[in-house]
Amino acid sequence: MPKDSVARFLAALTPEDRRTVDSEPREEQERLAAAWESELETDAELDTLDELSPPAAEAEAARRVLDRKDD
């Protein structure tokens, strides 16, 4: 598993979202990855999902971060 938070964030995205985020400047990718890490750390609902399926929790957190980006 990649240790770089941007690489981990990109891996959690759908292929279409990954292409979109990958085309962003590195600074924006880092900002989104930091928001994703924060989402994973602070959302109790994701903690429960993480116990059942870590990849699903990561994907859900990534979806939430991108949804907020588009607002």
Side-chain angles (χ1 to χ4, degrees):
M1 171 164 265
K3 292 185 182 190
D4 173 41
S5 63
V6 171
R8 289 183 54 238
F9 173 63
L10 289 172
L13 296 170
T14 65
E16 181 179 335
D17 288 337
R18 187 176 307 120
R19 283 189 294 276
T20 300
V21 172
D22 201 34
S23 69
E24 297 281 346
R26 179 67 183 192
E27 295 80 21
E28 178 64 5
Q29 291 177 8
E30 289 172 354
R31 187 191 70 74
L32 291 170
W36 173 74
E37 292 279 356
S38 178
E39 185 80 18
L40 285 170
E41 291 173 7
T42 60
D43 191 299
E45 183 181 298
L46 289 175
D47 285 343
T48 303
L49 182 57
D50 188 51
E51 290 178 16
L52 300 172
S53 174
E58 291 181 351
E60 175 62 17
R63 184 192 61 77
R64 292 178 185 182
V65 167
L66 290 184
D67 285 351
R68 283 195 302 269
K69 177 185 181 286
D70 293 336
D71 288 343

